[in-house]
Each structure stands twice: as structure tokens, then as C-alpha cells.
């Protein structure tokens, strides 16, 4: 029986507060989606030592860079902080930057979701919009402060991995973000956009390396059944080919 791929998943983090200990947690949708697609999820805490992190990554067949309800620190990105921005804890952002860099250097199969996609673009030399509704002329709503099930159409670029995942027809995805990819890193191509031009998916144009980022959340309760194909395609890319059994030549009796 072939072994299932081991898939690392980054988690969320909250620093110690006045009356609460520091806390790490993982949203169920990530590890359930990996399991349903045929993998074994492995939760990755924000390890402080690079050697420990490399050892962890060397065990894995793929990595999911999870999203976050908070933002990459806008000041760190060179912005003056917008009132709508809420920076994620420093330990989480620093860890996400480190693990993203290492995994990309290893050319590990990567599925980056939400702010994970934004992080992957920034690490590779790209930039972000801090607040889409003000930065993009004619921008549509990408986040609803009241309704968590906001969905919109995406336009998928033909011939990309995302195109192969979803196929033809109208595709709608969930949307709950106010930052977005602006200038795309040179190592990626755009594979989907919203009707207002906001980048919704990016990927490395290399058939031998699955490295895809999606702005929507295919693991979320508001995802559609079709979104599961994102995880299924990712897991397929993480599977090791079956070893070939060499048949020894039969010797004839002398």
C-alpha cells in the first residue's frame, strides 16, 4: 500500500496577554481538507530555530501556508498604517516569512491561501495593496464587515493550473480580504483575477513544481464543493511516484 503524503500546515498565533497565556491554533477546515484529499496533515508550530524548522520540512511532501484574519504588518511593507489594517503578531509573521522562504528554496509543493498567498508574493519581491477599496479604481467589495459568506466571480487565465482545477463555466469564490497582491513577483504568473482586476490567484509557471496561491479560502465553510479540487490537485502533486520494481532476468539452467 502506498504511503499518503505528509502535508505541513502553518497555524495561527496569539501572543501572551495580561490575563491569557500565549496560544497557537489551527482551523479545522485546513486539516480536514488535506485528509479528505488523501493526505496526512501535520500541524507546524512557530518554531524558533531554523535547523529545527528545516528538519521538520524535510519530513514533508507538501506545505499549506494558511491564511489569517489579521494582516501582514503594513509598516513593515513600507505603508503608513491604514485604519482598516490590523497587523498579525510579530512571531507569526516572522515565522511565516521564514518557512515560506525555506519551502520555496526547497521547491516543495506549496498551496498558499489568503494572506499566505500575499506573503509568498512579498517574499519573492512582489508588493501588496494595503486597502483594495481605496487603492484599486472601481474596486468591488472583497470583504463584508457583517456578512461572512460574500462571494464573487473570478476570471481564470486559460492554460494555468487553476484553469485545470476548475475547468470551464462561471466560478464564484468566497472573499474576505482588504489587502491584495499589487505588483506580482517575477517568479509568478497571474492565474485568476476578480472582475475589478484584483489578483485572485498566482502560480509558478513550472510544470514540475506545484506552487500556487489563492486569495479565496477553499477550506472554509463558505467554500463550494468545486473548491475541493484545489486540495485534490495539490495532493496529487505531493504524491511520490510509485517505485519501479525491476524484474531480474531469469537464468536458464545450464
Amino acid at each position: 500500500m502506498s504511503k499518503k503524503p505528509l502535508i505541513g500546515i502553518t497555524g495561527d498565533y496569539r501572543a501572551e496577554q495580561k490575563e491569557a497565556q500565549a496560544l497557537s491554533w489551527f482551523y479545522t477546515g485546513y486539516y480536514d481538507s488535506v485528509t479528505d484529499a488523501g493526505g496526512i496533515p501535520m500541524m507546524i508550530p512557530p518554531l524558533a530555530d531554523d535547523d529545527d524548522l528545516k528538519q521538520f520540512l524535510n519530513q514533508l511532501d507538501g506545505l499549506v501556508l494558511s491564511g489569517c484574519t489579521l494582516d501582514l504588518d503594513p509598516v513593515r511593507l513600507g505603508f503608513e498604517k491604514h485604519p482598516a489594517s490590523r497587523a498579525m503578531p510579530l512571531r507569526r509573521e516572522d515565522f511565516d516569512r521564514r518557512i515560506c522562504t525555506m519551502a520555496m528554496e526547497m521547491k516543495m509543493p506549496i498551496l498558499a491561501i489568503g494572506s499566505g498567498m500575499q506573503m509568498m508574493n512579498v517574499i519573492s519581491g512582489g508588493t501588496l495593496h494595503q486597502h483594495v477599496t481605496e487603492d484599486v479604481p472601481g474596486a468591488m467589495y472583497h470583504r463584508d464587515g457583517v456578512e461572512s459568506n460574500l462571494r464573487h466571480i473570478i476570471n481564470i487565465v486559460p492554460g494555468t493550473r487553476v484553469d485545470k482545477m476548475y475547468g470551464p463555466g462561471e466560478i464564484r469564490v468566497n472573499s474576505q480580504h482588504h489587502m491584495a497582491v499589487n505588483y506580482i513577483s517575477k517568479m509568478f504568473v497571474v492565474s485568476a483575477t476578480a472582475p475589478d482586476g484584483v489578483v485572485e490567484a498566482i502560480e509558478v509557471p513550472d510544470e514540475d513544481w506545484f506552487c500556487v496561491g489563492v486569495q479565496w479560502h477553499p477550506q472554509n465553510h463558505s467554500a463550494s464543493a468545486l473548491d475541493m479540487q484545489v486540495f485534490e490537485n495539490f495532493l496529487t502533486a505531493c504524491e511520490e511516484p510509485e517505485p519501479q520494481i525491476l524484474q531480474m532476468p531469469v537464468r536458464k539452467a545450464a
Side-chain angles (χ1 to χ4, degrees), residues 179-192:
M179 297 184 84
V181 168
N182 182 10
Y183 292 108
I184 187 171
S185 162
K186 292 181 179 179
M187 71 180 301
F188 295 108
V189 295
V190 174
S191 42

Side-chain angles (χ1 to χ4, degrees), residues 16-250:
E16 183 176 358
Q17 299 176 353
K18 186 176 181 180
E19 297 181 358
Q21 298 181 36
L23 176 69
S24 290
W25 70 94
F26 299 83
Y27 288 101
T28 306
Y30 287 107
Y31 54 79
D32 278 352
S33 295
V34 166
T35 302
D36 291 344
I40 297 177
M42 297 182 69
M43 310 297 101
I44 310 177
L47 300 170
D49 185 86
D50 280 354
D51 289 336
D52 292 346
L53 181 53
K54 288 176 183 177
Q55 182 176 335
F56 201 118
L57 287 175
N58 282 328
Q59 301 178 67
L60 303 178
D61 299 299
L63 174 68
V64 175
L65 290 170
S66 67
C68 184
T69 57
L70 303 176
D71 305 310
L72 277 66
D73 187 347
V75 176
R76 199 169 183 176
L77 298 172
F79 297 121
E80 182 177 341
K81 186 178 178 181
H82 189 279
S85 294
R86 296 169 59 224
M88 65 179 68
L90 181 62
R91 182 173 179 181
R92 162 141 197 200
E93 181 168 340
D94 281 348
F95 177 73
D96 283 5
R97 285 174 177 267
R98 288 169 48 233
I99 194 171
C100 183
T101 299
M102 287 185 190
M104 294 186 76
E105 288 175 348
M106 296 168 65
K107 285 197 169 184
M108 175 179 290
I110 299 172
L111 174 59
I113 295 173
S115 60
M117 180 185 88
Q118 297 169 11
M119 173 67 75
M120 193 165 66
N121 185 58
V122 167
I123 287 296
S124 306
T127 65
L128 302 180
H129 292 298
Q130 183 180 185
H131 194 57
V132 170
T133 54
E134 294 180 6
D135 296 343
V136 178
M140 57 194 288
Y141 284 111
H142 289 264
R143 180 171 72 176
D144 191 319
V146 178
E147 176 57 62
S148 62
N149 294 321
L150 177 66
R151 302 180 68 81
H152 63 67
I153 295 171
I154 57 171
N155 300 315
I156 297 177
V157 177
T160 59
R161 284 185 182 271
V162 174
D163 183 34
K164 294 174 183 177
M165 292 176 191
Y166 283 91
E170 181 179 284
I171 305 300
R172 289 181 175 270
V173 296
N174 53 29
S175 185
Q176 190 70 11
H177 65 102
H178 80 109
M179 297 184 84
V181 168
N182 182 10
Y183 292 108
I184 187 171
S185 162
K186 292 181 179 179
M187 71 180 301
F188 295 108
V189 295
V190 174
S191 42
T193 60
D196 57 7
V198 169
V199 175
E200 290 285 333
I202 61 176
E203 59 188 67
V204 171
D206 181 345
E207 292 184 0
D208 297 323
W209 182 20
F210 187 106
C211 186
V212 175
V214 295
Q215 184 60 67
W216 62 93
H217 289 261
Q219 88 293 341
N220 197 286
H221 69 280
S222 61
S224 70
L226 195 59
D227 291 326
M228 190 60 197
Q229 294 184 90
V230 175
F231 281 95
E232 291 170 352
N233 277 263
F234 170 58
L235 262 294
T236 297
C238 295
E239 292 175 352
E240 293 185 4
E242 291 289 332
Q244 293 184 351
I245 300 175
L246 300 178
Q247 299 292 333
M248 298 299 292
V250 178

